[in-house]
Amino acid sequence: LHSEFNHSQDEPVHLLQIWILPEERGLKPSYEQKAFPAEAKRNRLRLVASPTGGDGSVTVHQNVALYAALLDPGQTVTHELAPGRHAWIQVTSGALEVNGTRVVAGDGAAVEGETLLKITGQDASGSSEFLLFDLA
């Protein structure tokens, strides 16, 4: 069991809590925490979690690659999905166009049957931030 809450009596909190079930039961519990500066994910997909912990990502015991990005208005990133894989895109701030569909802060987009994702920043007032889950 686990829960998150705001310990401050004065400061508001805005968080996104993500649960990914492990690939098998009975794994030894572990914890990792890493900071990824804005410049590491500005106008590019930055791998932040993966099964192997590759490229400086945290390790997750599941067949998922999790990317974070911060897109300036008009900037585009692409991501190829291998056959049989699908994606979830969670927009945390701003607005995006994903393969021709507009999504805004708070939206989640399930993607199936696509081989290429084209994601463009659409917030004229600033950068848009999102997470991309490449899922089995």
Side-chain angles (χ1 to χ4, degrees):
L1 295 176
H2 181 78
S3 68
E4 300 287 343
F5 64 94
N6 184 4
H7 294 274
S8 173
Q9 298 296 318
D10 305 316
E11 299 292 324
V13 67
H14 180 175
L15 63 91
L16 177 64
Q17 190 172 45
I18 302 165
W19 290 89
I20 299 173
L21 297 176
E23 62 195 346
E24 63 182 83
R25 296 180 64 88
L27 294 173
K28 180 181 177 184
S30 63
Y31 175 83
E32 286 182 75
Q33 179 175 323
K34 291 187 181 181
F36 297 91
E39 289 313 309
K41 55 188 177 177
R42 183 169 305 284
N43 299 319
R44 60 174 280 214
L45 293 169
R46 171 60 168 107
L47 183 65
V48 297
S50 67
T52 64
D55 195 24
S57 65
V58 298
T59 302
V60 59
H61 297 282
Q62 187 52 268
N63 187 358
V64 60
L66 173 56
Y67 299 87
L70 187 62
L71 288 183
D72 293 331
Q75 294 295 308
T76 299
V77 295
T78 59
H79 181 73
E80 289 186 39
L81 290 172
R85 294 189 68 84
H86 55 281
W88 179 268
I89 297 169
Q90 186 67 50
V91 185
T92 58
S93 67
L96 304 169
E97 184 176 281
V98 179
N99 288 9
T101 300
R102 183 172 170 83
V103 289
V104 299
D107 286 349
V111 181
E112 292 183 357
E114 299 282 349
T115 57
L116 182 69
L117 299 176
K118 181 180 175 186
I119 306 164
T120 303
Q122 294 288 309
D123 189 345
S125 64
S127 297
S128 301
E129 191 163 17
F130 68 96
L131 297 172
L132 165 62
F133 297 79
D134 183 326
L135 304 160

